[in-house]
């Protein structure tokens, strides 16, 4: 990791001191600061007005107890979080994650990333994130409902369509959003559909929202290929994960002529050289909430399951990590490089470790960071907010076209900004600088708030 500019190093040191033990948050901040040297040299006002220091400190951090009763009648206690990080561009916007790994540092890292991701979309939304250490896996629908109702009983007082608009993330899908919205409606006596996004189509949701993050990642990658005069046609693609992001990335890659040969869940990964059977994958993971090891038994072909090792050992032209943070490490990066992978685009939030990212860049692999490549989800959430505000409903085709246009704009903005600041072709620098400068300029215009 290169040395930081002295002023930026002082800011990073302060972040480490003020946020001890929050390694994911430290990593996210450092990754942005690494790109800002040319920016502070050209615009010293960002340092002089403490814009960067203010950006690294959330506007509000909320931690609360979530008591609920399981099916055996036992009272369970979880911890809930909402970090409202920055509202310079609009109401806080970002998902809720329900997973045992959730703690304040994870939520702050996600919220910090969300600031710049949301800025890159060009939509009027700020950055925030939330969640709980509750694990919905293996819980009954009734238990999930009781947890969500207890969670919203505290959260409702902190959110609103003009204040903070949560959505889903890992462990929070349509079922959970429905229970959360139902409790918000019950408590407030308002049908404020714009308070949550990712809703069902019959009660204020948007077409393409389930598909948006996966589709958006593939649209961004398509732009990288198009810039080279290439396409997905005939490409072997490996996609980690098998949740919404991964499943719909598989769908769009196949629509564009590529072949997804591997995907995964926490139990291991499957390889199917003929191409992943999307309908079977949806049946196992969406319809039955099953495990991916079931796939080869049902497919009865050349597919096989691997319960150890790395999915990134599967040879591919394009890798799309779509599972979780820091899932692709230095050893994985070396495997991808040895096997001739040309593009890595992050479909998840910060799925590559700093070592992996540096190895890939040094090897000449084109690398698209999550704050740009996976911005399609929040972009479509903002489109859902537009429809809710106007009491309107758009077709799938219209919404998908809007999403593709937004992703093309993010891609072009990253390249243009990288060129402007002396790092042509660097998607990481372009995304960080373009996302930062828009927020920073808004913060300067608003004064010390």
């Amino acid at each position: 990791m290169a040395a930081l500019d002295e002023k930026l190093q002082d800011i990073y040191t302060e972040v480490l001191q003020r946020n001890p033990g929050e390694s994911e948050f430290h990593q996210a901040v450092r990754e942005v600061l690494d790109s800002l040297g040319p920016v502070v040299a050209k615009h010293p006002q960002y340092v002089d007005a403490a814009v960067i220091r203010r950006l690294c400190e959330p506007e509000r951090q909320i931690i609360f107890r979530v008591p609920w009763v399981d099916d055996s009648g036992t009272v369970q206690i979880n911890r809930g979080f909402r970090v409202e990080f920055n509202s310079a561009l609009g109401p806080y916007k970002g998902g809720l994650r329900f997973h045992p790994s959730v703690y304040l540092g994870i939520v702050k890292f996600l919220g910090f990333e969300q600031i710049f991701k949301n800025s890159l979309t060009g939509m009027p939304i700020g950055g925030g994130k939330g969640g709980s250490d509750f694990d919905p896996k293996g819980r009954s629908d009734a238990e999930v409902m009781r947890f969500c109702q207890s969670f919203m009983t505290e959260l409702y007082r902190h959110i609103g369509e003009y204040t903070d608009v949560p959505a889903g993330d890992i462990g929070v899908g349509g079922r959970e959003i429905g229970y959360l919205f139902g409790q918000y409606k019950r408590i407030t006596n308002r049908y404020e559909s714009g308070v949550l996004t990712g809703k069902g189509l019959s009660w204020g949701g948007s077409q393409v929202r389930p598909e948006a993050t996966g589709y958006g990642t593939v649209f961004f990658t398509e732009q990288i290929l198009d810039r080279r005069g290439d396409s997905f046609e005939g490409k072997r693609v490996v996609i980690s994960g098998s949740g919404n992001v991964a499943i719909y990335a598989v769908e769009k890659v196949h629509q564009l002529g590529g072949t997804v040969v591997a995907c995964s869940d926490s139990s291991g990964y499957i390889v199917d050289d003929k191409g992943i059977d999307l309908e079977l994958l949806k049946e196992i993971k969406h319809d039955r909430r099953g495990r991916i090891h079931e796939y080869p038994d049902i497919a009865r072909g050349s597919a096989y399951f691997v319960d150890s090792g790395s999915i990134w050992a599967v040879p591919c032209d394009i890798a799309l990590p779509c599972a979780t943070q820091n899932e692709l490490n230095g050893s994985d990066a070396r495997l991808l490089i040895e096997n001739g992978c040309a593009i890595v685009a992050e479909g998840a939030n910060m799925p590559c470790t700093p070592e992996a990212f540096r190895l890939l860049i040094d090897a000449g692999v084109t690398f698209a960071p999550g704050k740009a490549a996976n911005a399609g989800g929040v972009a479509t959430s903002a489109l859902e907010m537009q429809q809710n505000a106007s009491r309107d409903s758009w077709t799938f085709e219209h919404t998908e076209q809007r999403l593709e246009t937004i992703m093309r704009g993010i891609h072009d903005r990253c390249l243009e900004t990288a060129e402007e600041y002396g790092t042509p072709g660097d998607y990481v620098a372009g995304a960080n600088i373009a996302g930062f400068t828009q927020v920073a300029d808004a913060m300067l215009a608003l004064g010390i708030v």
Side-chain angles (χ1 to χ4, degrees), residues 384-394:
E384 183 175 329
M385 292 166 67
Q386 284 187 24
Q387 293 169 81
N388 294 157
S390 61
R391 300 293 191 267
D392 201 357
S393 180
W394 303 342

Side-chain angles (χ1 to χ4, degrees), residues 23 32 84 89 98 122 128 136 166 169 190 202 209 218 229 263 265 272 277 288 311 317 339 352 418 434 441:
S23 57
V32 171
E84 297 174 334
L89 297 179
F98 292 170
D169 193 77
R190 294 196 302 269
S202 61
R209 182 59 192 90
V218 176
C263 60
D265 66 14
D272 192 340
D277 182 331
R288 294 195 281 106
I311 190 174
D317 303 301
N339 287 326
C352 295
D441 288 341

Side-chain angles (χ1 to χ4, degrees), residues 1 21-31 97 101 103 105-106 109-110 113 170 240-241 264 309-312 321-333 344 346-358 360 367 370 374:
M1 208 176 276
E22 297 175 0
S23 57
E24 297 87 356
F25 179 51
H26 302 162
Q27 181 182 337
V29 171
R30 178 60 193 255
E31 192 262 326
R97 175 176 294 192
S101 66
Y103 78 108
I106 291 260
F109 126 64
L110 292 166
E113 286 277 293
I170 293 172
S240 64
S264 63
S310 172
I311 190 174
W312 309 115
C322 293
T324 190
Q325 70 272 1
N326 290 331
E327 59 167 292
L328 197 162
N329 60 30
S331 298
D332 299 324
V344 174
E346 294 186 317
N349 292 300
M350 204 172 72
C352 295
T353 66
E355 181 190 14
F357 154 69
R358 185 49 55 197
L360 293 167
F367 183 84
N374 82 1

